[in-house]
Every structure is written in structure tokens, then in C-alpha cells.
Amino acid sequence: MEFKEVIGRRRSIRFFDPDRPVEREKIQKMLEAARLASCAVNAQWARAVVGFRDDLTDDQLKRLKTPVAGLNTELAPVHIHWFNDLGVVRRNEGRPLKELVDVGALAPTHGWSHKFVDDFVYPQILKPLTESPGYPIASTFDVGVAVCQALLTGVDEGLGVGLVTLNGAVLKEVFGTPDDWIPLSTILVGYPAESWDAGGQRPRPPFEEMYHEGKYGQPFKRDDKVVEELKAANMIQAPATSNNPARIAEIKKLAEKYGLPM
Ligand SMILES: Cc1cc2nc3c(=O)[nH]c(=O)nc-3n(C[C@H](O)[C@H](O)[C@H](O)COP(=O)(O)O)c2cc1C
């Protein structure tokens, strides 16, 4: 699938076919995509544990779920749980940056050398960063970048994907993760039981309300020609509408099929 269409077709899928397994290779492809994501100082905070729903006990599955992610989690055969490994910077002491110097990604033209990393970047930027209260939030941004790549790769592989936030304390306990791994969100993976379109692209605030140019309050002007080009590339698709009879009928059919309340 073309890149722009992958972005356009992604929806948070909440109805998975609970009985159709996902090929292991497709999960690997999602993880490979996450691993290639850009990350500040190449630290690579993102960690994941792949959980196969049917390997969980009923009690574990019940305890993982939250009120806003319960049914989705039950229906999805695979759960990729993401964590932020807060310990990477301390353990690596600037090594990933030196590797970037060695391969010429960070060049002397821009002031980079092993000495610059040892004398300045690690002691004066990275180490203090790990000691600041904002560290978990700053590094979680990087995990989000990786998770997004995994998510889009799942769509490209014809899978249904949806992010949910499960019970972090239970995740840590069930999967035995280290103390300094912060539990984040989970990508639910499966084949969609709903149509891939799932009623259309979900509502967003107006473009010019979200993006500014030059200074706050000055909207970045949206060019209709660009919008048309992205529509032609299937990136911008028909928006989901309220009380869409076709979507209501689809949900009713799914409710009947899986014995769900309506
Ligand atoms: C970090 C994150 C956590 C989310 N957690 C949940 C969740 O717990 N339950 C849920 O139904 N949707 C969850 N979502 C999905 C959003 O609600 C979704 O993005 C929104 O409905 C917009 O729809 P779209 O993703 O189909 O464009 C989460 C999304 C993100 C990015």
C-alpha cells in the first residue's frame, strides 16, 4: 500500500475477529518498524512485550482490562505492550551517540566527536536529563514515535490495530518487567471484524485551530489544492458522520454476531 494511504486507512479498530490468529511474521514486522524509529540521542527507550491473549489466564486477562478497553482487549488475539526503559541512558553512558559519530551520522562539521560526547553531552545534558522530573515524559515521546511506526506497519500488513491503555501495575506483574520500565500503552492486533473503513475517518479539530505559523494564534493556512491531492492519494478520506445508518447497522450486526449489548 502507498504510504499516504496507510495513514489514511488507519482507524482505531475495536472489533477484532477473536478466532482468527495473526501471523507471527506480521507481528515481527511491526516490531522491526518500531526499532527503526528515530529517537533522541539514539537512546532507544522503547521496549515491548508481545502477549498472546490465549496464553493469559482468565484472571490475568480480567485484571489487565480497564473500563474503556475491556472488550477490545478480549477480542484481539495479540497484544503488544509498550514500555519506556528508563535505565537505557544510565547504562549506555553516551555509547549510542558515539556510534552515530563512528558511522558519520553525527559529523565533526557539526561539532561532534567522542570527546564532545564524553566531556559535554553525556555529563551536562544526558545525565542531568535522567535526574530531572520531566525525564519520563520526555523519553515517552520517543516511545510514541516508535509505536506509531509499528501501528502503521500493522495497517500496511492488512491487520486491524488499536491503541489502548491497560492496567500498568498488572502488566508489570504478569510480564515480570524490570522496575525501571514504565508501562505505557498497548497495541491490540487482530484481523478486523468490522469493515476497514469503520464508518470513516474520526473527527478532528479544524486544521487551522491545531497548527500555527510564525507565532501562536496565527493559523497555518490550509491550501485546498493540497487537500485535494491528499484526497486523491487516499490519505484524507470521508469523515465519519454522526448517526450514519450504515455504521449503526454494522455495529448492530457485530453485536448480534458476538452476543454484545446494544
Ligand atoms: C495512547 C493512546 C491510548 C488510547 N487508549 C484507548 C483506550 O484505552 N481505549 C480506546 O477505546 N481507545 C483508545 N485510544 C484510541 C483513541 O481514542 C483514538 O485515537 C480516537 O478514537 C480517534 O480515532 P482513530 O484512532 O480511529 O483515528 C487510544 C489512543 C492512543 C493514541
Side-chain angles (χ1 to χ4, degrees):
M1 212 186 299
E2 290 295 322
F3 176 70
K4 290 189 180 74
E5 186 163 4
V6 173
I7 293 178
R9 280 173 74 105
R10 189 206 56 77
R11 309 276 184 277
S12 285
I13 291 297
R14 294 185 172 87
F15 294 96
F16 298 93
D17 181 340
D19 304 315
R20 184 169 171 193
V22 176
E23 298 84 344
R24 195 185 163 80
E25 68 192 53
K26 293 194 174 185
I27 301 296
Q28 181 179 340
K29 286 178 191 172
M30 292 174 70
L31 298 172
E32 300 275 3
R35 182 169 168 266
L36 295 177
S38 186
C39 179
V41 296
N42 216 18
Q44 308 301 337
W45 285 279
R47 294 290 180 272
V49 177
V50 177
F52 291 90
R53 178 202 56 204
D54 294 347
D55 291 342
L56 296 169
T57 65
D58 289 349
D59 180 59
Q60 284 172 333
L61 183 59
K62 194 168 151 212
R63 287 168 57 229
L64 276 177
K65 296 187 306 191
T66 68
V68 293
L71 176 64
N72 333 6
T73 307
E74 226 172 274
L75 293 174
V78 185
H79 310 153
I80 309 179
H81 308 289
W82 292 92
F83 296 83
N84 178 345
D85 176 3
L86 282 180
V88 283
V89 173
R90 289 290 198 135
R91 286 199 305 275
N92 290 333
E93 296 187 331
R95 183 179 48 78
L97 275 175
K98 290 187 204 166
E99 285 171 352
L100 292 182
V101 171
D102 292 341
V103 300
L106 294 175
T109 46
H110 294 56
W112 287 95
S113 65
H114 281 216
K115 188 171 161 33
F116 182 57
V117 173
D118 284 336
D119 293 354
F120 177 69
V121 183
Y122 183 70
Q124 294 200 42
I125 299 180
L126 291 184
K127 197 162 171 289
L129 172 73
T130 63
E131 289 154 3
S132 77
Y135 174 55
I137 295 170
S139 45
T140 290
F141 184 93
D142 301 67
V143 182
V145 176
V147 170
C148 184
Q149 294 200 176
L151 207 62
L152 293 174
T153 300
V155 175
D156 192 43
E157 289 295 319
L159 298 167
V161 290
L163 274 163
V164 291
T165 305
L166 303 183
N167 185 317
V170 180
L171 280 173
K172 287 183 75 76
E173 182 204 313
V174 168
F175 297 106
T177 53
D179 288 344
D180 56 359
W181 282 27
I182 306 176
L184 301 172
S185 293
T186 295
I187 306 182
L188 301 179
V189 193
Y191 282 92
E194 56 190 314
S195 61
W196 72 264
D197 185 50
Q201 278 182 334
R202 278 66 194 265
R204 296 289 188 265
F207 181 91
E208 287 163 351
E209 200 175 280
M210 297 173 79
Y211 307 118
H212 306 246
E213 182 172 349
K215 66 172 189 175
Y216 171 76
Q218 211 161 261
F220 184 101
K221 265 195 132 338
R222 200 180 199 196
D223 182 341
D224 290 339
K225 272 208 313 259
V226 175
V227 172
E228 290 311 312
E229 189 188 318
L230 295 178
K231 281 183 180 170
N234 288 327
M235 187 171 129
I236 299 179
Q237 302 186 359
T241 52
S242 296
N243 301 315
N244 171 358
R247 179 61 176 164
I248 294 169
E250 180 176 39
I251 294 173
K252 240 184 205 157
K253 217 166 136 193
L254 288 161
E256 277 163 21
K257 185 170 177 185
Y258 295 113
L260 305 170
M262 187 63 200

PDB file of all heavy atoms in Angstrom, residues 10-14 66 68-69 72 163-166 185 202-204, ligand 1:
ATOM      1  N   ARG A  10      -5.786   3.974   8.451  1.00  0.00           N
ATOM      2  CA  ARG A  10      -5.716   3.561   9.859  1.00  0.00           C
ATOM      3  C   ARG A  10      -6.921   4.060  10.641  1.00  0.00           C
ATOM      4  O   ARG A  10      -7.321   5.194  10.530  1.00  0.00           O
ATOM      5  CB  ARG A  10      -4.426   4.099  10.505  1.00  0.00           C
ATOM      6  CG  ARG A  10      -4.179   3.531  11.905  1.00  0.00           C
ATOM      7  CD  ARG A  10      -3.351   4.463  12.750  1.00  0.00           C
ATOM      8  NE  ARG A  10      -3.941   5.786  12.847  1.00  0.00           N
ATOM      9  CZ  ARG A  10      -4.983   6.093  13.617  1.00  0.00           C
ATOM     10  NH1 ARG A  10      -5.554   5.180  14.388  1.00  0.00           N
ATOM     11  NH2 ARG A  10      -5.489   7.325  13.622  1.00  0.00           N
ATOM     12  N   ARG A  11      -7.500   3.166  11.371  1.00  0.00           N
ATOM     13  CA  ARG A  11      -8.551   3.525  12.332  1.00  0.00           C
ATOM     14  C   ARG A  11      -8.207   2.803  13.619  1.00  0.00           C
ATOM     15  O   ARG A  11      -7.580   1.737  13.578  1.00  0.00           O
ATOM     16  CB  ARG A  11      -9.934   2.996  11.913  1.00  0.00           C
ATOM     17  CG  ARG A  11     -10.369   3.300  10.505  1.00  0.00           C
ATOM     18  CD  ARG A  11     -11.003   4.684  10.391  1.00  0.00           C
ATOM     19  NE  ARG A  11     -11.488   4.899   9.039  1.00  0.00           N
ATOM     20  CZ  ARG A  11     -10.719   5.315   8.013  1.00  0.00           C
ATOM     21  NH1 ARG A  11      -9.440   5.582   8.200  1.00  0.00           N
ATOM     22  NH2 ARG A  11     -11.243   5.476   6.806  1.00  0.00           N
ATOM     23  N   SER A  12      -8.676   3.299  14.742  1.00  0.00           N
ATOM     24  CA  SER A  12      -8.596   2.504  15.966  1.00  0.00           C
ATOM     25  C   SER A  12      -9.656   1.419  15.836  1.00  0.00           C
ATOM     26  O   SER A  12     -10.853   1.697  15.920  1.00  0.00           O
ATOM     27  CB  SER A  12      -8.899   3.361  17.197  1.00  0.00           C
ATOM     28  OG  SER A  12      -7.800   4.188  17.468  1.00  0.00           O
ATOM     29  N   ILE A  13      -9.205   0.195  15.590  1.00  0.00           N
ATOM     30  CA  ILE A  13     -10.146  -0.920  15.437  1.00  0.00           C
ATOM     31  C   ILE A  13     -10.529  -1.417  16.838  1.00  0.00           C
ATOM     32  O   ILE A  13      -9.673  -1.579  17.712  1.00  0.00           O
ATOM     33  CB  ILE A  13      -9.496  -2.031  14.577  1.00  0.00           C
ATOM     34  CG1 ILE A  13      -9.339  -1.540  13.122  1.00  0.00           C
ATOM     35  CG2 ILE A  13     -10.292  -3.338  14.640  1.00  0.00           C
ATOM     36  CD1 ILE A  13     -10.625  -1.210  12.376  1.00  0.00           C
ATOM     37  N   ARG A  14     -11.820  -1.634  17.028  1.00  0.00           N
ATOM     38  CA  ARG A  14     -12.300  -2.093  18.346  1.00  0.00           C
ATOM     39  C   ARG A  14     -13.080  -3.406  18.259  1.00  0.00           C
ATOM     40  O   ARG A  14     -13.408  -3.986  19.277  1.00  0.00           O
ATOM     41  CB  ARG A  14     -13.156  -0.996  19.004  1.00  0.00           C
ATOM     42  CG  ARG A  14     -12.334   0.243  19.353  1.00  0.00           C
ATOM     43  CD  ARG A  14     -13.134   1.281  20.119  1.00  0.00           C
ATOM     44  NE  ARG A  14     -12.282   2.366  20.591  1.00  0.00           N
ATOM     45  CZ  ARG A  14     -11.971   3.451  19.883  1.00  0.00           C
ATOM     46  NH1 ARG A  14     -12.470   3.630  18.685  1.00  0.00           N
ATOM     47  NH2 ARG A  14     -11.168   4.377  20.397  1.00  0.00           N
ATOM     48  N   THR A  66      -9.222  -2.348  31.393  1.00  0.00           N
ATOM     49  CA  THR A  66      -9.774  -1.164  32.042  1.00  0.00           C
ATOM     50  C   THR A  66     -11.206  -0.990  31.519  1.00  0.00           C
ATOM     51  O   THR A  66     -11.559  -1.595  30.505  1.00  0.00           O
ATOM     52  CB  THR A  66      -8.967   0.104  31.672  1.00  0.00           C
ATOM     53  OG1 THR A  66      -9.197   0.366  30.279  1.00  0.00           O
ATOM     54  CG2 THR A  66      -7.482  -0.070  31.913  1.00  0.00           C
ATOM     55  N   VAL A  68     -12.437   1.211  29.773  1.00  0.00           N
ATOM     56  CA  VAL A  68     -12.554   1.759  28.411  1.00  0.00           C
ATOM     57  C   VAL A  68     -11.793   0.930  27.378  1.00  0.00           C
ATOM     58  O   VAL A  68     -11.656   1.342  26.226  1.00  0.00           O
ATOM     59  CB  VAL A  68     -12.092   3.240  28.342  1.00  0.00           C
ATOM     60  CG1 VAL A  68     -13.037   4.131  29.110  1.00  0.00           C
ATOM     61  CG2 VAL A  68     -10.665   3.393  28.842  1.00  0.00           C
ATOM     62  N   ALA A  69     -11.302  -0.230  27.795  1.00  0.00           N
ATOM     63  CA  ALA A  69     -10.547  -1.045  26.826  1.00  0.00           C
ATOM     64  C   ALA A  69     -10.834  -2.530  27.006  1.00  0.00           C
ATOM     65  O   ALA A  69     -10.080  -3.367  26.516  1.00  0.00           O
ATOM     66  CB  ALA A  69      -9.055  -0.776  26.978  1.00  0.00           C
ATOM     67  N   ASN A  72     -12.356  -4.636  23.604  1.00  0.00           N
ATOM     68  CA  ASN A  72     -11.331  -4.643  22.543  1.00  0.00           C
ATOM     69  C   ASN A  72     -10.224  -5.636  22.894  1.00  0.00           C
ATOM     70  O   ASN A  72      -9.741  -6.384  22.056  1.00  0.00           O
ATOM     71  CB  ASN A  72     -10.647  -3.290  22.333  1.00  0.00           C
ATOM     72  CG  ASN A  72     -11.436  -2.075  22.705  1.00  0.00           C
ATOM     73  OD1 ASN A  72     -12.519  -2.201  23.248  1.00  0.00           O
ATOM     74  ND2 ASN A  72     -10.912  -0.912  22.417  1.00  0.00           N
ATOM     75  N   LEU A 163      -4.790   1.336  19.690  1.00  0.00           N
ATOM     76  CA  LEU A 163      -4.059   1.554  20.946  1.00  0.00           C
ATOM     77  C   LEU A 163      -5.028   1.592  22.116  1.00  0.00           C
ATOM     78  O   LEU A 163      -6.116   2.167  22.004  1.00  0.00           O
ATOM     79  CB  LEU A 163      -3.311   2.881  20.889  1.00  0.00           C
ATOM     80  CG  LEU A 163      -1.931   2.833  20.248  1.00  0.00           C
ATOM     81  CD1 LEU A 163      -1.465   4.233  19.876  1.00  0.00           C
ATOM     82  CD2 LEU A 163      -0.919   2.185  21.199  1.00  0.00           C
ATOM     83  N   VAL A 164      -4.630   0.986  23.204  1.00  0.00           N
ATOM     84  CA  VAL A 164      -5.389   1.083  24.454  1.00  0.00           C
ATOM     85  C   VAL A 164      -4.395   1.216  25.604  1.00  0.00           C
ATOM     86  O   VAL A 164      -3.228   0.862  25.461  1.00  0.00           O
ATOM     87  CB  VAL A 164      -6.269  -0.165  24.723  1.00  0.00           C
ATOM     88  CG1 VAL A 164      -7.425  -0.251  23.742  1.00  0.00           C
ATOM     89  CG2 VAL A 164      -5.451  -1.428  24.710  1.00  0.00           C
ATOM     90  N   THR A 165      -4.884   1.729  26.705  1.00  0.00           N
ATOM     91  CA  THR A 165      -4.035   1.791  27.886  1.00  0.00           C
ATOM     92  C   THR A 165      -4.630   0.846  28.918  1.00  0.00           C
ATOM     93  O   THR A 165      -5.749   1.051  29.383  1.00  0.00           O
ATOM     94  CB  THR A 165      -3.953   3.235  28.420  1.00  0.00           C
ATOM     95  OG1 THR A 165      -3.519   4.059  27.342  1.00  0.00           O
ATOM     96  CG2 THR A 165      -2.954   3.339  29.561  1.00  0.00           C
ATOM     97  N   LEU A 166      -3.861  -0.196  29.229  1.00  0.00           N
ATOM     98  CA  LEU A 166      -4.349  -1.220  30.162  1.00  0.00           C
ATOM     99  C   LEU A 166      -3.847  -0.917  31.569  1.00  0.00           C
ATOM    100  O   LEU A 166      -3.217   0.114  31.806  1.00  0.00           O
ATOM    101  CB  LEU A 166      -3.895  -2.603  29.680  1.00  0.00           C
ATOM    102  CG  LEU A 166      -4.342  -2.958  28.251  1.00  0.00           C
ATOM    103  CD1 LEU A 166      -3.905  -4.368  27.887  1.00  0.00           C
ATOM    104  CD2 LEU A 166      -5.849  -2.823  28.097  1.00  0.00           C
ATOM    105  N   SER A 185       1.282   2.307  26.626  1.00  0.00           N
ATOM    106  CA  SER A 185       0.056   1.791  26.000  1.00  0.00           C
ATOM    107  C   SER A 185       0.308   0.466  25.295  1.00  0.00           C
ATOM    108  O   SER A 185       1.443   0.034  25.145  1.00  0.00           O
ATOM    109  CB  SER A 185      -0.504   2.834  25.037  1.00  0.00           C
ATOM    110  OG  SER A 185      -0.945   3.938  25.792  1.00  0.00           O
ATOM    111  N   ARG A 202     -12.106   9.479  11.769  1.00  0.00           N
ATOM    112  CA  ARG A 202     -12.710  10.000  13.001  1.00  0.00           C
ATOM    113  C   ARG A 202     -12.541  11.509  13.154  1.00  0.00           C
ATOM    114  O   ARG A 202     -11.602  12.094  12.621  1.00  0.00           O
ATOM    115  CB  ARG A 202     -12.114   9.260  14.197  1.00  0.00           C
ATOM    116  CG  ARG A 202     -12.793   7.892  14.466  1.00  0.00           C
ATOM    117  CD  ARG A 202     -12.544   6.890  13.359  1.00  0.00           C
ATOM    118  NE  ARG A 202     -13.400   5.717  13.397  1.00  0.00           N
ATOM    119  CZ  ARG A 202     -13.089   4.559  13.970  1.00  0.00           C
ATOM    120  NH1 ARG A 202     -11.921   4.402  14.553  1.00  0.00           N
ATOM    121  NH2 ARG A 202     -13.928   3.564  13.955  1.00  0.00           N
ATOM    122  N   PRO A 203     -13.437  12.145  13.890  1.00  0.00           N
ATOM    123  CA  PRO A 203     -13.421  13.615  13.992  1.00  0.00           C
ATOM    124  C   PRO A 203     -12.098  14.160  14.523  1.00  0.00           C
ATOM    125  O   PRO A 203     -11.460  13.547  15.387  1.00  0.00           O
ATOM    126  CB  PRO A 203     -14.541  13.916  14.998  1.00  0.00           C
ATOM    127  CG  PRO A 203     -15.369  12.684  15.053  1.00  0.00           C
ATOM    128  CD  PRO A 203     -14.479  11.531  14.696  1.00  0.00           C
ATOM    129  N   ARG A 204     -11.696  15.270  13.982  1.00  0.00           N
ATOM    130  CA  ARG A 204     -10.511  16.001  14.430  1.00  0.00           C
ATOM    131  C   ARG A 204     -10.873  17.479  14.552  1.00  0.00           C
ATOM    132  O   ARG A 204     -11.759  17.948  13.834  1.00  0.00           O
ATOM    133  CB  ARG A 204      -9.364  15.880  13.411  1.00  0.00           C
ATOM    134  CG  ARG A 204      -8.838  14.456  13.209  1.00  0.00           C
ATOM    135  CD  ARG A 204      -8.070  13.986  14.427  1.00  0.00           C
ATOM    136  NE  ARG A 204      -7.397  12.712  14.201  1.00  0.00           N
ATOM    137  CZ  ARG A 204      -7.892  11.522  14.526  1.00  0.00           C
ATOM    138  NH1 ARG A 204      -9.079  11.435  15.091  1.00  0.00           N
ATOM    139  NH2 ARG A 204      -7.203  10.425  14.310  1.00  0.00           N
TER     140      ARG A 204
HETATM  141  C1  LIG B   1      -2.017   6.437  23.658  1.00  0.00           C
HETATM  142  C2  LIG B   1      -3.413   6.087  23.237  1.00  0.00           C
HETATM  143  C3  LIG B   1      -4.231   5.391  24.117  1.00  0.00           C
HETATM  144  C4  LIG B   1      -5.522   5.043  23.764  1.00  0.00           C
HETATM  145  N1  LIG B   1      -6.282   4.330  24.633  1.00  0.00           N
HETATM  146  C5  LIG B   1      -7.503   3.918  24.253  1.00  0.00           C
HETATM  147  C6  LIG B   1      -8.290   3.091  25.120  1.00  0.00           C
HETATM  148  O1  LIG B   1      -7.893   2.777  26.233  1.00  0.00           O
HETATM  149  N2  LIG B   1      -9.486   2.678  24.658  1.00  0.00           N
HETATM  150  C7  LIG B   1      -9.956   3.006  23.419  1.00  0.00           C
HETATM  151  O2  LIG B   1     -11.065   2.578  23.062  1.00  0.00           O
HETATM  152  N3  LIG B   1      -9.243   3.796  22.587  1.00  0.00           N
HETATM  153  C8  LIG B   1      -8.036   4.252  22.960  1.00  0.00           C
HETATM  154  N4  LIG B   1      -7.283   5.032  22.103  1.00  0.00           N
HETATM  155  C9  LIG B   1      -7.810   5.348  20.761  1.00  0.00           C
HETATM  156  C10 LIG B   1      -8.274   6.780  20.610  1.00  0.00           C
HETATM  157  O3  LIG B   1      -9.374   7.011  21.415  1.00  0.00           O
HETATM  158  C11 LIG B   1      -8.479   7.056  19.103  1.00  0.00           C
HETATM  159  O4  LIG B   1      -7.312   7.540  18.595  1.00  0.00           O
HETATM  160  C12 LIG B   1      -9.592   8.012  18.763  1.00  0.00           C
HETATM  161  O5  LIG B   1     -10.770   7.304  18.988  1.00  0.00           O
HETATM  162  C13 LIG B   1      -9.503   8.537  17.334  1.00  0.00           C
HETATM  163  O6  LIG B   1      -9.783   7.512  16.403  1.00  0.00           O
HETATM  164  P1  LIG B   1      -8.775   6.885  15.368  1.00  0.00           P
HETATM  165  O7  LIG B   1      -7.574   6.348  16.114  1.00  0.00           O
HETATM  166  O8  LIG B   1      -9.580   5.795  14.742  1.00  0.00           O
HETATM  167  O9  LIG B   1      -8.368   7.925  14.367  1.00  0.00           O
HETATM  168  C14 LIG B   1      -6.009   5.405  22.477  1.00  0.00           C
HETATM  169  C15 LIG B   1      -5.179   6.117  21.590  1.00  0.00           C
HETATM  170  C16 LIG B   1      -3.906   6.447  21.966  1.00  0.00           C
HETATM  171  C17 LIG B   1      -3.038   7.217  20.984  1.00  0.00           C
END
